[in-house]
Structures are given as C-alpha cells and as structure tokens.
Short mmCIF file of all heavy atoms in Angstrom, two decimals:
data_model
loop_
_atom_site.label_atom_id
_atom_site.label_comp_id
_atom_site.label_asym_id
_atom_site.label_seq_id
_atom_site.Cartn_x
_atom_site.Cartn_y
_atom_site.Cartn_z
N LYS K 1 80.24 82.37 97.12
CA LYS K 1 79.43 83.58 97.12
C LYS K 1 80.19 84.78 97.67
O LYS K 1 79.73 85.47 98.59
CB LYS K 1 78.13 83.35 97.91
CG LYS K 1 77.25 82.26 97.34
CD LYS K 1 75.99 82.08 98.15
CE LYS K 1 75.10 81.01 97.56
NZ LYS K 1 73.85 80.80 98.35
N PHE K 2 81.36 85.03 97.08
CA PHE K 2 82.26 86.04 97.64
C PHE K 2 81.60 87.41 97.77
O PHE K 2 81.53 87.99 98.86
CB PHE K 2 83.53 86.14 96.78
CG PHE K 2 84.41 87.30 97.14
CD1 PHE K 2 85.10 87.31 98.34
CD2 PHE K 2 84.52 88.39 96.29
CE1 PHE K 2 85.90 88.38 98.68
CE2 PHE K 2 85.32 89.47 96.62
CZ PHE K 2 86.01 89.46 97.82
N PHE K 3 81.12 87.97 96.66
CA PHE K 3 80.55 89.32 96.71
C PHE K 3 79.30 89.38 97.60
O PHE K 3 79.05 90.39 98.25
CB PHE K 3 80.21 89.80 95.30
CG PHE K 3 81.39 90.32 94.54
CD1 PHE K 3 82.10 89.49 93.68
CD2 PHE K 3 81.81 91.63 94.67
CE1 PHE K 3 83.20 89.95 92.98
CE2 PHE K 3 82.91 92.12 93.97
CZ PHE K 3 83.61 91.27 93.13
N ASP K 4 78.55 88.29 97.63
CA ASP K 4 77.30 88.27 98.39
C ASP K 4 77.51 88.16 99.89
O ASP K 4 76.58 88.42 100.67
CB ASP K 4 76.41 87.11 97.93
CG ASP K 4 75.96 87.27 96.49
OD1 ASP K 4 75.92 88.42 96.01
OD2 ASP K 4 75.67 86.25 95.84
N THR K 5 78.71 87.74 100.32
CA THR K 5 78.94 87.49 101.75
C THR K 5 80.00 88.40 102.37
O THR K 5 80.41 88.16 103.51
CB THR K 5 79.34 86.01 101.97
OG1 THR K 5 80.52 85.72 101.21
CG2 THR K 5 78.22 85.07 101.55
N LEU K 6 80.42 89.42 101.65
CA LEU K 6 81.42 90.34 102.21
C LEU K 6 80.85 91.04 103.45
O LEU K 6 79.75 91.59 103.43
CB LEU K 6 81.81 91.39 101.18
CG LEU K 6 82.88 90.99 100.16
CD1 LEU K 6 83.05 92.08 99.12
CD2 LEU K 6 84.21 90.71 100.85
N ASP K 7 81.61 91.00 104.52
CA ASP K 7 81.20 91.64 105.76
C ASP K 7 81.50 93.14 105.69
O ASP K 7 82.63 93.54 105.46
CB ASP K 7 81.95 91.00 106.94
CG ASP K 7 81.51 91.58 108.27
OD1 ASP K 7 82.11 92.57 108.72
OD2 ASP K 7 80.55 91.05 108.87
N HIS K 8 80.48 93.96 105.89
CA HIS K 8 80.64 95.41 105.73
C HIS K 8 81.66 96.00 106.69
O HIS K 8 82.48 96.86 106.30
CB HIS K 8 79.29 96.10 105.90
CG HIS K 8 78.32 95.82 104.81
ND1 HIS K 8 77.01 96.26 104.82
CD2 HIS K 8 78.47 95.12 103.64
CE1 HIS K 8 76.40 95.86 103.72
NE2 HIS K 8 77.26 95.16 103.00
N LYS K 9 81.64 95.57 107.95
CA LYS K 9 82.59 96.12 108.92
C LYS K 9 84.03 95.77 108.55
O LYS K 9 84.92 96.61 108.69
CB LYS K 9 82.25 95.60 110.32
CG LYS K 9 80.95 96.14 110.89
CD LYS K 9 80.71 95.63 112.30
CE LYS K 9 79.41 96.21 112.88
NZ LYS K 9 79.15 95.71 114.25
N LEU K 10 84.23 94.55 108.08
CA LEU K 10 85.59 94.16 107.70
C LEU K 10 86.05 94.90 106.45
O LEU K 10 87.23 95.24 106.32
CB LEU K 10 85.65 92.65 107.47
CG LEU K 10 85.46 91.76 108.72
CD1 LEU K 10 85.57 90.29 108.34
CD2 LEU K 10 86.50 92.10 109.78
N VAL K 11 85.13 95.15 105.51
CA VAL K 11 85.48 95.91 104.32
C VAL K 11 85.92 97.32 104.69
O VAL K 11 86.95 97.82 104.23
CB VAL K 11 84.31 95.95 103.32
CG1 VAL K 11 84.61 96.92 102.17
CG2 VAL K 11 84.02 94.56 102.77
N LEU K 12 85.15 97.97 105.54
CA LEU K 12 85.49 99.34 105.95
C LEU K 12 86.79 99.37 106.75
O LEU K 12 87.59 100.30 106.61
CB LEU K 12 84.34 99.92 106.78
CG LEU K 12 83.08 100.26 105.97
CD1 LEU K 12 81.91 100.56 106.90
CD2 LEU K 12 83.34 101.46 105.06
N ARG K 13 87.01 98.34 107.57
CA ARG K 13 88.27 98.26 108.30
C ARG K 13 89.44 98.13 107.34
O ARG K 13 90.50 98.74 107.54
CB ARG K 13 88.24 97.07 109.27
CG ARG K 13 89.48 96.99 110.16
CD ARG K 13 89.52 95.69 110.94
NE ARG K 13 88.34 95.52 111.78
CZ ARG K 13 88.10 94.42 112.49
NH1 ARG K 13 88.96 93.40 112.44
NH2 ARG K 13 87.02 94.35 113.24
N ALA K 14 89.25 97.35 106.27
CA ALA K 14 90.30 97.19 105.27
C ALA K 14 90.58 98.51 104.56
O ALA K 14 91.74 98.88 104.34
CB ALA K 14 89.91 96.11 104.27
N VAL K 15 89.54 99.24 104.19
CA VAL K 15 89.73 100.52 103.50
C VAL K 15 90.45 101.51 104.40
O VAL K 15 91.31 102.28 103.94
CB VAL K 15 88.37 101.09 103.03
CG1 VAL K 15 88.55 102.47 102.41
CG2 VAL K 15 87.71 100.16 102.03
N ARG K 16 90.15 101.49 105.69
CA ARG K 16 90.80 102.41 106.63
C ARG K 16 92.29 102.16 106.75
O ARG K 16 93.03 103.04 107.24
CB ARG K 16 90.13 102.31 108.00
CG ARG K 16 88.74 102.91 108.06
CD ARG K 16 88.23 103.01 109.49
NE ARG K 16 86.85 103.48 109.53
CZ ARG K 16 85.79 102.69 109.65
NH1 ARG K 16 85.97 101.37 109.76
NH2 ARG K 16 84.58 103.20 109.67
N ARG K 17 92.76 100.99 106.35
CA ARG K 17 94.20 100.72 106.36
C ARG K 17 94.94 101.61 105.35
O ARG K 17 96.15 101.81 105.46
CB ARG K 17 94.46 99.24 106.02
CG ARG K 17 94.06 98.26 107.10
CD ARG K 17 95.09 98.20 108.20
NE ARG K 17 96.36 97.69 107.71
CZ ARG K 17 96.71 96.41 107.70
NH1 ARG K 17 95.86 95.50 108.16
NH2 ARG K 17 97.89 96.02 107.25
N PHE K 18 94.20 102.15 104.38
CA PHE K 18 94.83 102.92 103.31
C PHE K 18 94.44 104.40 103.29
O PHE K 18 95.13 105.21 102.68
CB PHE K 18 94.49 102.30 101.95
CG PHE K 18 94.96 100.89 101.80
CD1 PHE K 18 94.10 99.82 102.02
CD2 PHE K 18 96.27 100.61 101.46
CE1 PHE K 18 94.53 98.52 101.88
CE2 PHE K 18 96.72 99.31 101.32
CZ PHE K 18 95.85 98.26 101.54
N THR K 19 93.33 104.74 103.93
CA THR K 19 92.91 106.14 103.93
C THR K 19 92.04 106.44 105.14
O THR K 19 91.33 105.55 105.64
CB THR K 19 92.13 106.49 102.64
OG1 THR K 19 91.83 107.89 102.64
CG2 THR K 19 90.84 105.71 102.55
N ASP K 20 92.11 107.68 105.59
CA ASP K 20 91.20 108.16 106.64
C ASP K 20 90.29 109.26 106.10
O ASP K 20 89.68 110.01 106.87
CB ASP K 20 91.98 108.65 107.85
CG ASP K 20 92.94 109.80 107.50
OD1 ASP K 20 93.02 110.17 106.30
OD2 ASP K 20 93.61 110.32 108.41
N CYS K 21 90.21 109.35 104.77
CA CYS K 21 89.38 110.37 104.13
C CYS K 21 87.91 110.15 104.52
O CYS K 21 87.32 109.11 104.19
CB CYS K 21 89.55 110.31 102.62
SG CYS K 21 88.58 111.53 101.72
N LYS K 22 87.32 111.14 105.17
CA LYS K 22 85.98 110.96 105.75
C LYS K 22 84.92 110.75 104.69
O LYS K 22 84.03 109.90 104.84
CB LYS K 22 85.64 112.17 106.63
CG LYS K 22 86.49 112.26 107.89
CD LYS K 22 86.06 113.44 108.76
CE LYS K 22 86.91 113.52 110.03
NZ LYS K 22 86.53 114.66 110.89
N TRP K 23 84.99 111.52 103.60
CA TRP K 23 83.91 111.40 102.61
C TRP K 23 83.98 110.07 101.87
O TRP K 23 82.94 109.48 101.54
CB TRP K 23 83.90 112.58 101.66
CG TRP K 23 85.03 112.72 100.70
CD1 TRP K 23 86.17 113.44 100.88
CD2 TRP K 23 85.14 112.14 99.39
NE1 TRP K 23 86.99 113.35 99.78
CE2 TRP K 23 86.37 112.56 98.84
CE3 TRP K 23 84.33 111.31 98.62
CZ2 TRP K 23 86.80 112.18 97.58
CZ3 TRP K 23 84.74 110.93 97.35
CH2 TRP K 23 85.97 111.36 96.84
N VAL K 24 85.19 109.57 101.62
CA VAL K 24 85.33 108.28 100.96
C VAL K 24 84.76 107.17 101.84
O VAL K 24 83.97 106.32 101.39
CB VAL K 24 86.81 108.00 100.62
CG1 VAL K 24 86.99 106.55 100.16
CG2 VAL K 24 87.28 108.95 99.53
N LEU K 25 85.13 107.17 103.11
CA LEU K 25 84.64 106.14 104.04
C LEU K 25 83.13 106.23 104.22
O LEU K 25 82.43 105.21 104.25
CB LEU K 25 85.35 106.28 105.39
CG LEU K 25 86.85 105.98 105.38
CD1 LEU K 25 87.48 106.42 106.69
CD2 LEU K 25 87.10 104.50 105.15
N MET K 26 82.62 107.45 104.31
CA MET K 26 81.18 107.63 104.51
C MET K 26 80.39 107.11 103.32
O MET K 26 79.39 106.37 103.49
CB MET K 26 80.88 109.11 104.74
CG MET K 26 79.40 109.42 104.92
SD MET K 26 79.08 111.18 105.15
CE MET K 26 79.44 111.80 103.50
N TYR K 27 80.83 107.45 102.10
CA TYR K 27 80.06 107.03 100.93
C TYR K 27 80.22 105.54 100.65
O TYR K 27 79.28 104.89 100.18
CB TYR K 27 80.45 107.87 99.72
CG TYR K 27 79.92 109.29 99.80
CD1 TYR K 27 80.75 110.38 99.61
CD2 TYR K 27 78.58 109.53 100.10
CE1 TYR K 27 80.27 111.68 99.69
CE2 TYR K 27 78.09 110.82 100.19
CZ TYR K 27 78.94 111.89 99.99
OH TYR K 27 78.45 113.17 100.09
N ILE K 28 81.38 104.98 100.93
CA ILE K 28 81.53 103.53 100.77
C ILE K 28 80.56 102.80 101.68
O ILE K 28 79.91 101.83 101.28
CB ILE K 28 82.99 103.10 101.04
CG1 ILE K 28 83.88 103.52 99.87
CG2 ILE K 28 83.07 101.58 101.25
CD1 ILE K 28 85.35 103.22 100.08
N GLU K 29 80.43 103.28 102.91
CA GLU K 29 79.48 102.65 103.84
C GLU K 29 78.05 102.78 103.31
O GLU K 29 77.27 101.82 103.38
CB GLU K 29 79.59 103.29 105.21
CG GLU K 29 78.72 102.63 106.26
CD GLU K 29 78.97 103.14 107.67
OE1 GLU K 29 79.65 104.19 107.81
OE2 GLU K 29 78.50 102.50 108.63
N ARG K 30 77.71 103.92 102.75
CA ARG K 30 76.37 104.10 102.21
C ARG K 30 76.13 103.20 101.00
O ARG K 30 75.04 102.65 100.83
CB ARG K 30 76.15 105.57 101.83
CG ARG K 30 76.05 106.50 103.03
CD ARG K 30 75.81 107.94 102.61
NE ARG K 30 75.82 108.85 103.76
CZ ARG K 30 75.67 110.17 103.68
NH1 ARG K 30 75.47 110.74 102.50
NH2 ARG K 30 75.71 110.91 104.78
N TRP K 31 77.12 103.06 100.14
CA TRP K 31 76.97 102.19 98.97
C TRP K 31 76.82 100.72 99.40
O TRP K 31 76.04 99.99 98.80
CB TRP K 31 78.16 102.35 98.02
CG TRP K 31 78.08 103.59 97.20
CD1 TRP K 31 76.99 104.06 96.53
CD2 TRP K 31 79.13 104.54 96.97
NE1 TRP K 31 77.29 105.24 95.89
CE2 TRP K 31 78.60 105.55 96.13
CE3 TRP K 31 80.46 104.63 97.37
CZ2 TRP K 31 79.36 106.64 95.71
CZ3 TRP K 31 81.22 105.70 96.95
CH2 TRP K 31 80.67 106.70 96.13
N LEU K 32 77.56 100.31 100.39
CA LEU K 32 77.44 98.93 100.87
C LEU K 32 76.05 98.66 101.44
O LEU K 32 75.53 97.55 101.31
CB LEU K 32 78.50 98.65 101.94
CG LEU K 32 79.95 98.55 101.45
CD1 LEU K 32 80.89 98.46 102.65
CD2 LEU K 32 80.14 97.34 100.54
N GLN K 33 75.45 99.67 102.04
CA GLN K 33 74.15 99.49 102.71
C GLN K 33 72.96 99.88 101.84
O GLN K 33 71.82 99.78 102.28
CB GLN K 33 74.13 100.30 104.01
CG GLN K 33 75.15 99.84 105.03
CD GLN K 33 75.19 100.72 106.26
OE1 GLN K 33 74.56 101.80 106.30
NE2 GLN K 33 75.94 100.30 107.27
N ALA K 34 73.21 100.31 100.61
CA ALA K 34 72.12 100.74 99.73
C ALA K 34 71.15 99.58 99.49
O ALA K 34 71.55 98.42 99.36
CB ALA K 34 72.68 101.25 98.41
N ASP K 35 69.86 99.91 99.41
CA ASP K 35 68.84 98.89 99.17
C ASP K 35 69.00 98.26 97.79
O ASP K 35 69.61 98.83 96.89
CB ASP K 35 67.44 99.51 99.27
CG ASP K 35 67.07 99.88 100.71
OD1 ASP K 35 67.82 99.49 101.63
OD2 ASP K 35 66.04 100.56 100.89
N VAL K 36 68.39 97.09 97.66
CA VAL K 36 68.31 96.39 96.38
C VAL K 36 66.86 96.43 95.92
O VAL K 36 65.95 96.13 96.70
CB VAL K 36 68.78 94.93 96.51
CG1 VAL K 36 68.58 94.19 95.18
CG2 VAL K 36 70.24 94.88 96.93
N GLN K 37 66.63 96.83 94.68
CA GLN K 37 65.28 96.86 94.13
C GLN K 37 65.12 95.75 93.11
O GLN K 37 65.91 95.64 92.16
CB GLN K 37 64.98 98.21 93.48
CG GLN K 37 63.56 98.30 92.92
CD GLN K 37 63.19 99.72 92.53
OE1 GLN K 37 63.39 100.66 93.29
NE2 GLN K 37 62.64 99.87 91.32
N LEU K 38 64.11 94.92 93.30
CA LEU K 38 63.84 93.82 92.38
C LEU K 38 63.14 94.35 91.13
O LEU K 38 62.66 95.49 91.09
CB LEU K 38 62.98 92.76 93.07
CG LEU K 38 63.52 92.21 94.40
CD1 LEU K 38 62.61 91.10 94.91
CD2 LEU K 38 64.95 91.72 94.25
N GLN K 39 63.07 93.51 90.12
CA GLN K 39 62.47 93.93 88.85
C GLN K 39 61.01 94.34 89.03
O GLN K 39 60.51 95.21 88.32
CB GLN K 39 62.57 92.78 87.82
CG GLN K 39 63.98 92.47 87.39
CD GLN K 39 64.56 93.50 86.44
OE1 GLN K 39 63.85 94.38 85.97
NE2 GLN K 39 65.85 93.40 86.16
#
C-alpha cells in the first residue's frame, strides 16, 4: 500500500532536499492533506 501509507512529514522532508521554494512546499502540504470525498 505504498501510496496509501506515505508519511506526509517524510515526503515534505524529502522535497526540501531539492527546493526551499515556499509556495511549492506550502501547496504540496495542502494537497497531501486535502480531504477525500466518497461517491
């Protein structure tokens, strides 16, 4: 269950290894935390 179990903090830490762009980091965090709507 790779995609279902990705740890958000570790993902953001990994992205920060390549960029410190504030808007990219901010929106990635928002996308990771976005709600899921069922049918």
Side-chain angles (χ1 to χ4, degrees):
K1 299 181 179 179
F2 171 70
F3 280 94
D4 296 335
T5 58
L6 277 174
D7 183 270
H8 291 175
K9 291 183 179 179
L10 292 181
V11 171
L12 288 168
R13 185 189 302 176
V15 176
R16 289 190 185 98
R17 290 281 296 270
F18 300 97
T19 184
D20 59 358
C21 180
K22 292 183 179 179
W23 69 267
V24 170
L25 294 168
M26 178 181 70
Y27 288 129
I28 286 176
E29 184 172 13
R30 290 181 184 178
W31 283 314
L32 289 172
Q33 296 175 352
D35 289 350
V36 175
Q37 182 169 312
L38 306 184
Q39 293 286 351

